[in-house]
């Protein structure tokens, strides 16, 4: 007796193709290839500016806590410092994708020293793990 073809599986496959086609048409309306290229151009001054701004806010919050070691001042400083560390981690994520400098060495050095140092991470190790994660998505 011939094996029966599972129709829901075929229907699902067909719907997947149709959904892909719909998505591709939708995606084409979002940004032109030229605009994506323009937006993808590396602008190292931006992450450098943002990194130094984060550290300026962190050091300012630490200084304020040192000058006025009051519980309410410290309570206000904790989320401020935490948000800046999170911003550094987001910038570090771009560094893991080598999206800060054209030079891989400069990219990793900058990320190691100024973005990942507070959490004791190393760009080369995290980059490998992170890119494996993207490979599986």
């Amino acid at each position: 007796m011939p094996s029966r073809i599972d129709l829901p599986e075929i229907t699902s496959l067909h719907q997947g193709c149709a959904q892909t086609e719909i998505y591709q048409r939708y995606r084409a309306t979002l940004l032109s290839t030229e605009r994506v290229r323009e937006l993808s151009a590396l602008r190292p001054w931006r992450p450098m500016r943002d990194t130094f701004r984060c550290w300026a806010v962190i050091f300012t919050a630490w200084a304020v806590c040192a000058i006025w070691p009051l519980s309410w001042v410290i309570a206000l400083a904790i989320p401020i410092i935490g948000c800046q560390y999170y911003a550094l981690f987001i910038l570090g994520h771009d560094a893991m994708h080598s999206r800060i400098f054209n030079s891989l060495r400069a990219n990793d050095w900058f990320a190691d020293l100024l973005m990942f140092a507070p959490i004791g991470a190393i760009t080369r190790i995290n980059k490998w793990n992170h890119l494996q994660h993207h490979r599986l998505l």
Side-chain angles (χ1 to χ4, degrees), residues 18 30 33 42-43 51 67 70 86 90 98 107 113 129-130:
L30 296 177
T33 304
L42 298 183
R43 294 175 185 86
T51 300
I67 294 167
L70 304 168
Y86 182 64
I90 291 170
S98 302
N107 188 82
L113 186 63
N129 290 334
H130 184 68

Side-chain angles (χ1 to χ4, degrees), residues 10 13 30 86 88 94 131:
I10 292 173
L13 180 62
L30 296 177
Y86 182 64
L88 287 171
D94 289 344
L131 293 178

Side-chain angles (χ1 to χ4, degrees), residues 52-66:
F52 291 120
R53 187 201 60 79
C54 286
W55 281 111
V57 172
I58 290 168
F59 284 129
T60 301
W62 285 343
V64 169
C65 287

Side-chain angles (χ1 to χ4, degrees), residues 12-125:
S12 170
L13 180 62
H14 178 68
Q15 286 174 347
C17 292
Q19 288 173 349
T20 302
E21 182 182 329
I22 291 168
Y23 173 72
Q24 292 300 329
R25 278 188 277 143
Y26 168 72
R27 187 172 176 206
T29 66
L30 296 177
L31 293 172
S32 68
T33 304
E34 296 79 29
R35 182 68 176 144
V36 170
R37 242 183 235 116
E38 178 186 323
L39 292 171
S40 297
L42 298 183
R43 294 175 185 86
W45 63 271
R46 286 183 176 176
M48 288 175 65
R49 175 201 62 198
D50 294 343
T51 300
F52 291 120
R53 187 201 60 79
C54 286
W55 281 111
V57 172
I58 290 168
F59 284 129
T60 301
W62 285 343
V64 169
C65 287
I67 294 167
W68 295 289
L70 304 168
S71 58
W72 67 271
V73 172
I74 294 168
L76 286 174
I78 289 171
I80 291 170
I81 293 170
C83 286
Q84 298 311 302
Y85 278 137
Y86 182 64
L88 287 171
F89 184 74
I90 291 170
L91 290 164
H93 177 263
D94 289 344
M96 281 192 281
H97 287 280
S98 302
R99 300 300 304 156
I100 296 188
F101 298 104
N102 286 324
S103 164
L104 184 62
R105 182 180 220 146
N107 188 82
D108 289 355
W109 179 84
F110 189 78
D112 283 345
L113 186 63
L114 297 171
M115 296 172 184
F116 290 127
I119 59 172
I122 299 171
T123 306
R124 289 177 312 282
I125 295 169

